[in-house]
Amino acid sequence: MAQQAVSDGMERRIGRLLAAEIAAFDASSPVGALTLEAFQRRRVKRHRAITVNFSGGITQTCWTVIRSDGCYSVIFLPDAGYFSLCVDSDFGPLDIGVHGAALGCFASV
């Protein structure tokens, strides 16, 4: 029951952040429009907790935002309050140091 409350709270937090980003995103150019369309298509319907690997052997529980395309995914780091681009690895998602807005991380690939 408590885990569900945490999950619901995180859903709302991530949803608010993404809604603000999307509202502010300039999709007036063809590239911007395609980026936003691809972002929306790969966005997960329900965010879930996932263990992410960081340099130095550190792991942290983060939340999925953009499902992997076989190489990259975007996750939310709740303690930091921002998003990260991760590369897929045999050990799970690996943070590659690209942090900030979800759309910015997504568009950096």
Side-chain angles (χ1 to χ4, degrees), residues 1-2 6 12 22 25 33 42 45 50 55 61 67 95 99 108:
M1 187 78 138
V6 169
R12 287 189 297 276
I22 290 167
F25 188 73
R42 292 209 12 239
K45 293 184 186 340
I50 187 168
S55 62
T61 300
R67 71 179 165 274
D95 176 90
H99 301 136
S108 69

Side-chain angles (χ1 to χ4, degrees), residues 13-41:
R13 182 178 178 193
I14 295 169
R16 283 191 304 269
L17 290 169
L18 293 177
E21 273 192 47
I22 290 167
F25 188 73
D26 181 7
S28 62
S29 72
V31 171
L34 288 172
T35 299
L36 184 57
E37 179 185 326
F39 180 86
Q40 294 284 39
R41 194 173 45 250

Side-chain angles (χ1 to χ4, degrees), residues 79-93:
D79 293 342
Y82 52 69
F83 299 89
S84 172
L85 182 67
C86 290
V87 66
D88 296 347
S89 77
D90 290 342
F91 306 103

